PDB file of all heavy atoms in Angstrom:
ATOM      1  N   LEU R  24     -65.664-204.565  52.671  1.00  0.00           N
ATOM      2  CA  LEU R  24     -66.682-204.763  53.708  1.00  0.00           C
ATOM      3  C   LEU R  24     -68.101-204.593  53.175  1.00  0.00           C
ATOM      4  O   LEU R  24     -69.066-204.655  53.937  1.00  0.00           O
ATOM      5  CB  LEU R  24     -66.433-203.810  54.884  1.00  0.00           C
ATOM      6  CG  LEU R  24     -65.103-204.047  55.612  1.00  0.00           C
ATOM      7  CD1 LEU R  24     -64.895-202.995  56.697  1.00  0.00           C
ATOM      8  CD2 LEU R  24     -65.043-205.449  56.189  1.00  0.00           C
ATOM      9  N   ASN R  25     -68.216-204.412  51.853  1.00  0.00           N
ATOM     10  CA  ASN R  25     -69.534-204.270  51.245  1.00  0.00           C
ATOM     11  C   ASN R  25     -69.510-204.801  49.810  1.00  0.00           C
ATOM     12  O   ASN R  25     -69.846-204.097  48.863  1.00  0.00           O
ATOM     13  CB  ASN R  25     -69.994-202.803  51.274  1.00  0.00           C
ATOM     14  CG  ASN R  25     -71.429-202.650  50.847  1.00  0.00           C
ATOM     15  OD1 ASN R  25     -72.235-203.580  50.906  1.00  0.00           O
ATOM     16  ND2 ASN R  25     -71.777-201.455  50.392  1.00  0.00           N
ATOM     17  N   ILE R  26     -69.103-206.065  49.663  1.00  0.00           N
ATOM     18  CA  ILE R  26     -69.042-206.704  48.346  1.00  0.00           C
ATOM     19  C   ILE R  26     -70.463-207.099  47.952  1.00  0.00           C
ATOM     20  O   ILE R  26     -71.140-207.816  48.695  1.00  0.00           O
ATOM     21  CB  ILE R  26     -68.120-207.940  48.386  1.00  0.00           C
ATOM     22  CG1 ILE R  26     -66.702-207.511  48.744  1.00  0.00           C
ATOM     23  CG2 ILE R  26     -68.172-208.699  47.062  1.00  0.00           C
ATOM     24  CD1 ILE R  26     -65.783-208.659  49.082  1.00  0.00           C
ATOM     25  N   GLN R  27     -70.916-206.616  46.811  1.00  0.00           N
ATOM     26  CA  GLN R  27     -72.280-206.872  46.360  1.00  0.00           C
ATOM     27  C   GLN R  27     -72.258-207.738  45.104  1.00  0.00           C
ATOM     28  O   GLN R  27     -71.649-207.370  44.097  1.00  0.00           O
ATOM     29  CB  GLN R  27     -73.013-205.562  46.116  1.00  0.00           C
ATOM     30  CG  GLN R  27     -73.127-204.761  47.406  1.00  0.00           C
ATOM     31  CD  GLN R  27     -74.058-203.583  47.272  1.00  0.00           C
ATOM     32  OE1 GLN R  27     -74.955-203.568  46.418  1.00  0.00           O
ATOM     33  NE2 GLN R  27     -73.864-202.593  48.121  1.00  0.00           N
ATOM     34  N   LEU R  28     -72.944-208.880  45.212  1.00  0.00           N
ATOM     35  CA  LEU R  28     -72.990-209.869  44.139  1.00  0.00           C
ATOM     36  C   LEU R  28     -74.436-210.229  43.834  1.00  0.00           C
ATOM     37  O   LEU R  28     -75.313-210.022  44.661  1.00  0.00           O
ATOM     38  CB  LEU R  28     -72.235-211.133  44.563  1.00  0.00           C
ATOM     39  CG  LEU R  28     -70.810-210.954  45.078  1.00  0.00           C
ATOM     40  CD1 LEU R  28     -70.262-212.288  45.582  1.00  0.00           C
ATOM     41  CD2 LEU R  28     -69.920-210.373  43.999  1.00  0.00           C
ATOM     42  N   GLU R  29     -74.652-210.821  42.673  1.00  0.00           N
ATOM     43  CA  GLU R  29     -75.955-211.370  42.305  1.00  0.00           C
ATOM     44  C   GLU R  29     -75.768-212.764  41.727  1.00  0.00           C
ATOM     45  O   GLU R  29     -74.796-213.020  41.009  1.00  0.00           O
ATOM     46  CB  GLU R  29     -76.678-210.500  41.269  1.00  0.00           C
ATOM     47  CG  GLU R  29     -77.221-209.220  41.839  1.00  0.00           C
ATOM     48  CD  GLU R  29     -78.101-208.463  40.856  1.00  0.00           C
ATOM     49  OE1 GLU R  29     -78.050-208.757  39.628  1.00  0.00           O
ATOM     50  OE2 GLU R  29     -78.842-207.578  41.309  1.00  0.00           O
ATOM     51  N   ILE R  30     -76.704-213.647  42.029  1.00  0.00           N
ATOM     52  CA  ILE R  30     -76.712-214.983  41.434  1.00  0.00           C
ATOM     53  C   ILE R  30     -77.265-214.853  40.016  1.00  0.00           C
ATOM     54  O   ILE R  30     -78.306-214.224  39.803  1.00  0.00           O
ATOM     55  CB  ILE R  30     -77.598-215.953  42.248  1.00  0.00           C
ATOM     56  CG1 ILE R  30     -77.136-216.021  43.701  1.00  0.00           C
ATOM     57  CG2 ILE R  30     -77.584-217.343  41.609  1.00  0.00           C
ATOM     58  CD1 ILE R  30     -78.095-216.773  44.619  1.00  0.00           C
ATOM     59  N   LYS R  31     -76.554-215.448  39.058  1.00  0.00           N
ATOM     60  CA  LYS R  31     -77.030-215.447  37.673  1.00  0.00           C
ATOM     61  C   LYS R  31     -78.128-216.500  37.519  1.00  0.00           C
ATOM     62  O   LYS R  31     -78.081-217.556  38.170  1.00  0.00           O
ATOM     63  CB  LYS R  31     -75.895-215.800  36.709  1.00  0.00           C
ATOM     64  CG  LYS R  31     -74.775-214.794  36.652  1.00  0.00           C
ATOM     65  CD  LYS R  31     -73.704-215.308  35.693  1.00  0.00           C
ATOM     66  CE  LYS R  31     -72.438-214.502  35.740  1.00  0.00           C
ATOM     67  NZ  LYS R  31     -71.381-215.098  34.891  1.00  0.00           N
ATOM     68  N   PRO R  32     -79.104-216.253  36.644  1.00  0.00           N
ATOM     69  CA  PRO R  32     -80.140-217.264  36.391  1.00  0.00           C
ATOM     70  C   PRO R  32     -79.547-218.542  35.795  1.00  0.00           C
ATOM     71  O   PRO R  32     -78.495-218.506  35.144  1.00  0.00           O
ATOM     72  CB  PRO R  32     -81.066-216.589  35.383  1.00  0.00           C
ATOM     73  CG  PRO R  32     -80.761-215.135  35.471  1.00  0.00           C
ATOM     74  CD  PRO R  32     -79.327-215.023  35.897  1.00  0.00           C
ATOM     75  N   ASP R  33     -80.243-219.650  36.028  1.00  0.00           N
ATOM     76  CA  ASP R  33     -79.859-220.916  35.405  1.00  0.00           C
ATOM     77  C   ASP R  33     -79.913-220.774  33.893  1.00  0.00           C
ATOM     78  O   ASP R  33     -80.610-219.900  33.365  1.00  0.00           O
ATOM     79  CB  ASP R  33     -80.794-222.045  35.854  1.00  0.00           C
ATOM     80  CG  ASP R  33     -80.687-222.341  37.335  1.00  0.00           C
ATOM     81  OD1 ASP R  33     -79.731-221.862  37.979  1.00  0.00           O
ATOM     82  OD2 ASP R  33     -81.562-223.049  37.861  1.00  0.00           O
ATOM     83  N   ASN R  34     -79.213-221.642  33.191  1.00  0.00           N
ATOM     84  CA  ASN R  34     -79.162-221.600  31.739  1.00  0.00           C
ATOM     85  C   ASN R  34     -80.569-221.668  31.133  1.00  0.00           C
ATOM     86  O   ASN R  34     -81.342-222.557  31.459  1.00  0.00           O
ATOM     87  CB  ASN R  34     -78.295-222.767  31.226  1.00  0.00           C
ATOM     88  CG  ASN R  34     -78.088-222.703  29.742  1.00  0.00           C
ATOM     89  OD1 ASN R  34     -78.043-221.626  29.151  1.00  0.00           O
ATOM     90  ND2 ASN R  34     -77.970-223.860  29.123  1.00  0.00           N
ATOM     91  N   ALA R  35     -80.889-220.730  30.264  1.00  0.00           N
ATOM     92  CA  ALA R  35     -82.171-220.677  29.541  1.00  0.00           C
ATOM     93  C   ALA R  35     -83.361-220.721  30.489  1.00  0.00           C
ATOM     94  O   ALA R  35     -84.359-221.379  30.229  1.00  0.00           O
ATOM     95  CB  ALA R  35     -82.253-221.803  28.509  1.00  0.00           C
ATOM     96  N   SER R  36     -83.252-220.008  31.629  1.00  0.00           N
ATOM     97  CA  SER R  36     -84.308-220.053  32.636  1.00  0.00           C
ATOM     98  C   SER R  36     -84.329-218.752  33.423  1.00  0.00           C
ATOM     99  O   SER R  36     -83.345-218.019  33.466  1.00  0.00           O
ATOM    100  CB  SER R  36     -84.036-221.225  33.584  1.00  0.00           C
ATOM    101  OG  SER R  36     -84.925-221.206  34.665  1.00  0.00           O
ATOM    102  N   ASP R  37     -85.470-218.484  34.035  1.00  0.00           N
ATOM    103  CA  ASP R  37     -85.564-217.349  34.948  1.00  0.00           C
ATOM    104  C   ASP R  37     -85.267-217.770  36.388  1.00  0.00           C
ATOM    105  O   ASP R  37     -85.205-216.940  37.275  1.00  0.00           O
ATOM    106  CB  ASP R  37     -86.970-216.734  34.888  1.00  0.00           C
ATOM    107  CG  ASP R  37     -87.242-216.084  33.546  1.00  0.00           C
ATOM    108  OD1 ASP R  37     -86.274-215.620  32.903  1.00  0.00           O
ATOM    109  OD2 ASP R  37     -88.413-216.037  33.138  1.00  0.00           O
ATOM    110  N   PHE R  38     -85.123-219.065  36.617  1.00  0.00           N
ATOM    111  CA  PHE R  38     -84.887-219.582  37.963  1.00  0.00           C
ATOM    112  C   PHE R  38     -83.413-219.470  38.327  1.00  0.00           C
ATOM    113  O   PHE R  38     -82.545-219.564  37.467  1.00  0.00           O
ATOM    114  CB  PHE R  38     -85.317-221.055  38.062  1.00  0.00           C
ATOM    115  CG  PHE R  38     -86.771-221.256  37.781  1.00  0.00           C
ATOM    116  CD1 PHE R  38     -87.183-221.747  36.558  1.00  0.00           C
ATOM    117  CD2 PHE R  38     -87.729-220.938  38.727  1.00  0.00           C
ATOM    118  CE1 PHE R  38     -88.519-221.932  36.281  1.00  0.00           C
ATOM    119  CE2 PHE R  38     -89.068-221.109  38.461  1.00  0.00           C
ATOM    120  CZ  PHE R  38     -89.469-221.613  37.238  1.00  0.00           C
ATOM    121  N   PHE R  39     -83.154-219.286  39.624  1.00  0.00           N
ATOM    122  CA  PHE R  39     -81.761-219.313  40.083  1.00  0.00           C
ATOM    123  C   PHE R  39     -81.706-219.625  41.576  1.00  0.00           C
ATOM    124  O   PHE R  39     -82.599-219.290  42.335  1.00  0.00           O
ATOM    125  CB  PHE R  39     -81.036-218.001  39.778  1.00  0.00           C
ATOM    126  CG  PHE R  39     -81.610-216.786  40.457  1.00  0.00           C
ATOM    127  CD1 PHE R  39     -81.193-216.403  41.725  1.00  0.00           C
ATOM    128  CD2 PHE R  39     -82.552-216.004  39.814  1.00  0.00           C
ATOM    129  CE1 PHE R  39     -81.705-215.269  42.338  1.00  0.00           C
ATOM    130  CE2 PHE R  39     -83.083-214.872  40.416  1.00  0.00           C
ATOM    131  CZ  PHE R  39     -82.657-214.507  41.683  1.00  0.00           C
ATOM    132  N   GLN R  40     -80.666-220.319  41.964  1.00  0.00           N
ATOM    133  CA  GLN R  40     -80.351-220.631  43.348  1.00  0.00           C
ATOM    134  C   GLN R  40     -78.851-220.895  43.487  1.00  0.00           C
ATOM    135  O   GLN R  40     -78.235-220.534  44.465  1.00  0.00           O
ATOM    136  CB  GLN R  40     -81.136-221.860  43.823  1.00  0.00           C
ATOM    137  CG  GLN R  40     -81.130-222.078  45.318  1.00  0.00           C
ATOM    138  CD  GLN R  40     -82.226-221.310  46.026  1.00  0.00           C
ATOM    139  OE1 GLN R  40     -83.308-221.086  45.473  1.00  0.00           O
ATOM    140  NE2 GLN R  40     -81.970-220.900  47.235  1.00  0.00           N
ATOM    141  N   TRP R  41     -78.260-221.549  42.469  1.00  0.00           N
ATOM    142  CA  TRP R  41     -76.866-221.992  42.501  1.00  0.00           C
ATOM    143  C   TRP R  41     -75.900-220.820  42.342  1.00  0.00           C
ATOM    144  O   TRP R  41     -76.036-219.991  41.457  1.00  0.00           O
ATOM    145  CB  TRP R  41     -76.625-222.989  41.365  1.00  0.00           C
ATOM    146  CG  TRP R  41     -75.189-223.358  41.198  1.00  0.00           C
ATOM    147  CD1 TRP R  41     -74.333-222.911  40.224  1.00  0.00           C
ATOM    148  CD2 TRP R  41     -74.427-224.237  42.015  1.00  0.00           C
ATOM    149  NE1 TRP R  41     -73.088-223.467  40.395  1.00  0.00           N
ATOM    150  CE2 TRP R  41     -73.116-224.287  41.501  1.00  0.00           C
ATOM    151  CE3 TRP R  41     -74.717-224.992  43.151  1.00  0.00           C
ATOM    152  CZ2 TRP R  41     -72.112-225.053  42.065  1.00  0.00           C
ATOM    153  CZ3 TRP R  41     -73.716-225.762  43.710  1.00  0.00           C
ATOM    154  CH2 TRP R  41     -72.437-225.784  43.174  1.00  0.00           C
ATOM    155  N   PHE R  42     -74.916-220.769  43.231  1.00  0.00           N
ATOM    156  CA  PHE R  42     -73.798-219.855  43.065  1.00  0.00           C
ATOM    157  C   PHE R  42     -72.509-220.585  43.427  1.00  0.00           C
ATOM    158  O   PHE R  42     -72.515-221.541  44.200  1.00  0.00           O
ATOM    159  CB  PHE R  42     -73.951-218.582  43.913  1.00  0.00           C
ATOM    160  CG  PHE R  42     -74.021-218.831  45.396  1.00  0.00           C
ATOM    161  CD1 PHE R  42     -72.864-218.880  46.169  1.00  0.00           C
ATOM    162  CD2 PHE R  42     -75.246-219.005  46.027  1.00  0.00           C
ATOM    163  CE1 PHE R  42     -72.924-219.112  47.540  1.00  0.00           C
ATOM    164  CE2 PHE R  42     -75.316-219.225  47.387  1.00  0.00           C
ATOM    165  CZ  PHE R  42     -74.153-219.284  48.146  1.00  0.00           C
ATOM    166  N   TYR R  43     -71.423-220.147  42.832  1.00  0.00           N
ATOM    167  CA  TYR R  43     -70.108-220.736  43.077  1.00  0.00           C
ATOM    168  C   TYR R  43     -69.091-219.736  42.548  1.00  0.00           C
ATOM    169  O   TYR R  43     -69.122-219.383  41.370  1.00  0.00           O
ATOM    170  CB  TYR R  43     -70.015-222.082  42.354  1.00  0.00           C
ATOM    171  CG  TYR R  43     -68.734-222.871  42.518  1.00  0.00           C
ATOM    172  CD1 TYR R  43     -67.872-222.720  43.598  1.00  0.00           C
ATOM    173  CD2 TYR R  43     -68.400-223.811  41.546  1.00  0.00           C
ATOM    174  CE1 TYR R  43     -66.727-223.483  43.715  1.00  0.00           C
ATOM    175  CE2 TYR R  43     -67.251-224.580  41.653  1.00  0.00           C
ATOM    176  CZ  TYR R  43     -66.415-224.408  42.744  1.00  0.00           C
ATOM    177  OH  TYR R  43     -65.265-225.173  42.850  1.00  0.00           O
ATOM    178  N   PHE R  44     -68.226-219.245  43.432  1.00  0.00           N
ATOM    179  CA  PHE R  44     -67.269-218.237  43.008  1.00  0.00           C
ATOM    180  C   PHE R  44     -66.017-218.256  43.879  1.00  0.00           C
ATOM    181  O   PHE R  44     -66.007-218.821  44.964  1.00  0.00           O
ATOM    182  CB  PHE R  44     -67.902-216.841  43.010  1.00  0.00           C
ATOM    183  CG  PHE R  44     -68.364-216.354  44.361  1.00  0.00           C
ATOM    184  CD1 PHE R  44     -67.541-215.575  45.170  1.00  0.00           C
ATOM    185  CD2 PHE R  44     -69.640-216.661  44.821  1.00  0.00           C
ATOM    186  CE1 PHE R  44     -67.972-215.123  46.398  1.00  0.00           C
ATOM    187  CE2 PHE R  44     -70.079-216.206  46.047  1.00  0.00           C
ATOM    188  CZ  PHE R  44     -69.241-215.432  46.844  1.00  0.00           C
TER     189      PHE R  44
END
Side-chain angles (χ1 to χ4, degrees):
L24 297 176
N25 189 22
I26 298 168
Q27 298 191 24
L28 308 174
E29 287 188 344
I30 303 170
K31 295 178 190 175
D33 295 347
N34 186 31
S36 172
D37 293 331
F38 299 102
F39 62 88
Q40 194 86 32
W41 172 256
F42 61 89
Y43 182 24
F44 62 93

